Amino acid sequence: MTRLLLPGATIGIIGAGQLGKMLAQSAQKMGYRVAMYDPNPTSCGFVVANDYTIASFSDEEQLLQFVQSVDVVTYEFENIDAILLKKVANLGYLPQGTDLLLSSQNRLDEKQWLASIGVETVAFKEIIDWESLNNAENGLLKTSRFGYDGKGQYLIEKKEDLQLNEQAIKAILTEQNLIFEAICRFEYEASVIVARDILGNIQVFPPSINQHIHGVLFSSSVGEELSPEVEQEMTKIATKIAEAGNLVGVCGVEFFVTKGQQVLVNEIAPRPHNSGHYTIEACNISQFDQHILAITGRPLVPIKLNDSALMINILGQHMGQLEETIQQYPEAMLHVYGKDEAKDQRKMGHFTVLVEDAHALLESQFLQSWRQTF
């Protein structure tokens, strides 16, 4: 079923964090009304919503009532009850679907699904109990669910690393299985945002080169020259994922690129993605705009990169440096999300600089100092 929703229709967004807020702002500039659903009464997205509901993501009655009160519904993050969402979506309109959500909520399911469609990842195995970790070395031990920004991850280089974290790991194993991934000696990390509309048309944003520190995205730069073969492979893989997952909207696909130029998928995120924030300033259309166009039944806009850019995340510990940031980069576009509390390592905003040489800017004294606080 396809529908063309015109301005004036109401878009329901499940999740009212920064991604929901930016989706709402894109929708409203196109003339749509926005309703938001989140259990946190201080969610930063609520300040721009036309209407909102404060209720648990697992509250079937409230979620069903919300879905039926809007013309179309979408979600902005993965950690929601996908089974419940699939159930209530039958009584509402959710063109974004749940296929990719169900595949990406669990790291084991995600990698198994990617393998089933012929997409390469690092080697991995399931860990069901402490004994399954015998001889585990040189890998990353991760929770299968609810892990993001480096949370729920343990670097295991030698057996002593297991012993140091034995109590915490055993506690997690009482609640969920783990996944043990081989360490990838990549040359660099990259990602693309792929968009697909209701009719199956696909647009892929230019790849960004990403740097993570302690599992948290520090920077994304776009406009750097990549091997044409690597860029083509990223586009091919992202397209395959979008088609196999029946994507409607946008999806972030993260990659490892090895020194031998092999392209491996690290993770997928079936919604707007942190590494795609550069699209707001650097492209003719943002990832948020494309998502709104797709879920409202409108055609995607062909993508053009207007400028090279560098995006830097702002964490809680950086909020005291905003004045200095503005002085250092008066041309930068500063995005502050408006969250209620600036906790260390919590994403509070980002800034984007349109720049010809992102590498040189990353090596500046100011950003080197910023990096040390991640």
Side-chain angles (χ1 to χ4, degrees), residues 177-229:
N177 292 348
L178 300 174
I179 181 172
F180 189 73
E181 299 178 1
I183 294 176
C184 180
R185 306 297 179 185
F186 55 81
E187 183 178 359
Y188 59 89
E189 296 176 273
S191 60
V192 298
I193 308 298
V194 56
R196 182 174 179 268
D197 64 23
I198 287 177
L199 298 178
N201 301 305
I202 289 176
Q203 290 284 325
V204 181
F205 284 91
S208 63
I209 305 302
N210 306 322
Q211 293 186 22
H212 290 82
I213 300 175
H214 304 307
V216 181
L217 182 66
F218 166 64
S219 69
S220 292
S221 60
V222 66
E224 298 184 44
E225 283 194 26
L226 299 179
S227 156
E229 293 77 17

Side-chain angles (χ1 to χ4, degrees), residues 13 15-17 20-21 24 28 34-55:
I13 303 175
K21 183 177 183 178
Q28 288 169 333
V34 173
M36 306 187 85
Y37 184 107
D38 199 289
N40 180 5
T42 63
S43 293
C44 63
F46 285 163
V47 297
V48 301
N50 299 99
D51 192 15
Y52 61 84
T53 299
I54 301 171

Side-chain angles (χ1 to χ4, degrees), residues 19-303:
L19 298 179
K21 183 177 183 178
M22 287 185 271
L23 280 172
Q25 290 168 325
S26 280
Q28 288 169 333
K29 76 179 181 183
M30 297 182 198
Y32 295 101
R33 290 178 54 80
V34 173
M36 306 187 85
Y37 184 107
D38 199 289
N40 180 5
T42 63
S43 293
C44 63
F46 285 163
V47 297
V48 301
N50 299 99
D51 192 15
Y52 61 84
T53 299
I54 301 171
S56 168
F57 291 128
S58 60
D59 188 327
E60 182 172 346
E61 182 179 351
Q62 288 289 326
L63 191 57
L64 175 58
Q65 188 176 29
F66 176 79
V67 167
Q68 291 182 312
S69 72
V70 299
D71 297 299
V72 62
V73 67
T74 185
Y75 46 84
E76 58 114 39
F77 77 122
E78 293 97 319
N79 292 328
I80 57 180
D81 189 332
I83 302 298
L84 174 57
L85 186 61
K86 192 171 184 178
K87 179 179 178 180
V88 299
N90 292 328
L91 299 173
Y93 181 47
L94 182 68
Q96 189 178 4
T98 57
D99 289 354
L100 275 176
L101 181 65
L102 287 167
S103 297
S104 63
Q105 279 191 324
N106 183 297
R107 284 191 171 104
L108 284 161
D109 293 343
E110 179 181 70
K111 285 194 163 45
Q112 289 165 354
W113 179 75
L114 289 169
S116 75
I117 64 171
V119 171
E120 288 189 86
T121 67
V122 297
F124 66 95
K125 68 176 181 177
E126 184 176 10
I127 303 299
I128 61 174
D129 52 33
W130 181 254
E131 288 66 36
S132 302
L133 285 167
N134 285 338
N135 303 316
E137 293 183 62
N138 296 316
L140 277 172
L141 185 63
K142 301 180 180 180
T143 55
S144 55
R145 293 207 61 186
F146 306 119
Y148 63 95
D149 289 344
K151 295 178 174 65
Q153 298 187 21
Y154 300 90
L155 175 62
I156 309 299
E157 294 182 299
K158 52 188 181 301
K159 290 182 179 179
E160 286 77 6
D161 295 325
L162 279 175
Q163 295 165 356
L164 285 172
N165 296 287
E166 181 176 354
Q167 187 174 354
I169 293 169
K170 284 183 174 179
I172 295 171
L173 281 167
T174 64
E175 300 175 352
Q176 60 175 295
N177 292 348
L178 300 174
I179 181 172
F180 189 73
E181 299 178 1
I183 294 176
C184 180
R185 306 297 179 185
F186 55 81
E187 183 178 359
Y188 59 89
E189 296 176 273
S191 60
V192 298
I193 308 298
V194 56
R196 182 174 179 268
D197 64 23
I198 287 177
L199 298 178
N201 301 305
I202 289 176
Q203 290 284 325
V204 181
F205 284 91
S208 63
I209 305 302
N210 306 322
Q211 293 186 22
H212 290 82
I213 300 175
H214 304 307
V216 181
L217 182 66
F218 166 64
S219 69
S220 292
S221 60
V222 66
E224 298 184 44
E225 283 194 26
L226 299 179
S227 156
E229 293 77 17
V230 167
E231 188 165 349
Q232 184 179 17
E233 183 66 11
M234 289 180 188
T235 299
K236 178 183 173 183
I237 291 171
T239 298
K240 178 182 285 190
I241 289 170
E243 291 176 339
N246 298 309
L247 173 69
V248 174
V250 300
C251 176
V253 183
E254 295 183 79
F255 300 98
F256 295 134
V257 181
T258 69
K259 291 184 178 181
Q261 303 299 284
Q262 183 183 17
V263 178
L264 302 172
V265 171
N266 178 27
E267 293 181 347
I268 59 175
R271 38 75 177 170
H273 193 261
N274 191 178
S275 67
H277 290 345
Y278 79 85
T279 63
I280 300 172
E281 282 81 32
C283 294
N284 62 318
I285 188 162
S286 77
Q287 61 169 338
F288 302 100
D289 296 338
Q290 289 283 50
H291 188 85
I292 296 300
L293 291 175
I295 65 169
T296 56
R298 296 166 62 176
L300 300 176
V301 172
I303 296 164

